[in-house]
Amino acid sequence: MFIGEYEHTLDAKGRIIIPSKFREKLGDEFVMTKGLDSCLFVYPKSEWSILEEKLKTLPLTNKDARAFIRFFFAGASECNLDKQGRVTIPSNLRKHSKLDKEAVVIGVSTRMEIWDKEEWDEYNNDENLSYESISEKMLELGI
C-alpha cells in the first residue's frame, strides 16, 4: 500500500527521486500514465494489469469509454528506476502534469501520484477542497 506525501525536485533531465518507502512496492518495472486532476498516476505492474483487465471490459461502442481508454493508455510509459532511485518522467507526461521543478509524490493506496507542487497546493486549498462536502459524498457511495 502506498501512503504518505513527499516533496522532491526534478533535475535538468526530468528525473525525480522516488521515495525509498515506495521503491520496493513499485518493483523493477512499473507504469506511469496521465492521471486525472493534472497529475501522473504510477502503478506497479501487478496493479496496472488489474486495471487493464477492468478497462478491457468497457464497451467499445461507448464514446466516453473509448476516450478514457485512449487517454489512459496512449499516455502510458513503462518505467524503471536507476541505481539512485530516480525515474525519468517522459516529456509528454511532464507537460500533462505541468511538472517543471518542484514536485510532490503521494501514496494513494494501490498507486502513486506525482504532482507539480503548485498544482498540489492549489488542489489542497481550503476553498477547493471541503472535507465535509467530500465526506458527505462518500456516504452516498456507501463509505
Side-chain angles (χ1 to χ4, degrees), residues 64-75:
D64 292 334
R66 288 192 313 271
F68 184 77
I69 290 168
R70 285 182 189 125
F71 170 82
F72 215 62
F73 284 96

Side-chain angles (χ1 to χ4, degrees), residues 134-143:
I134 292 172
S135 64
E136 288 173 11
K137 290 177 184 175
M138 291 296 99
L139 283 173
E140 293 171 14
L141 295 173
I143 295 177

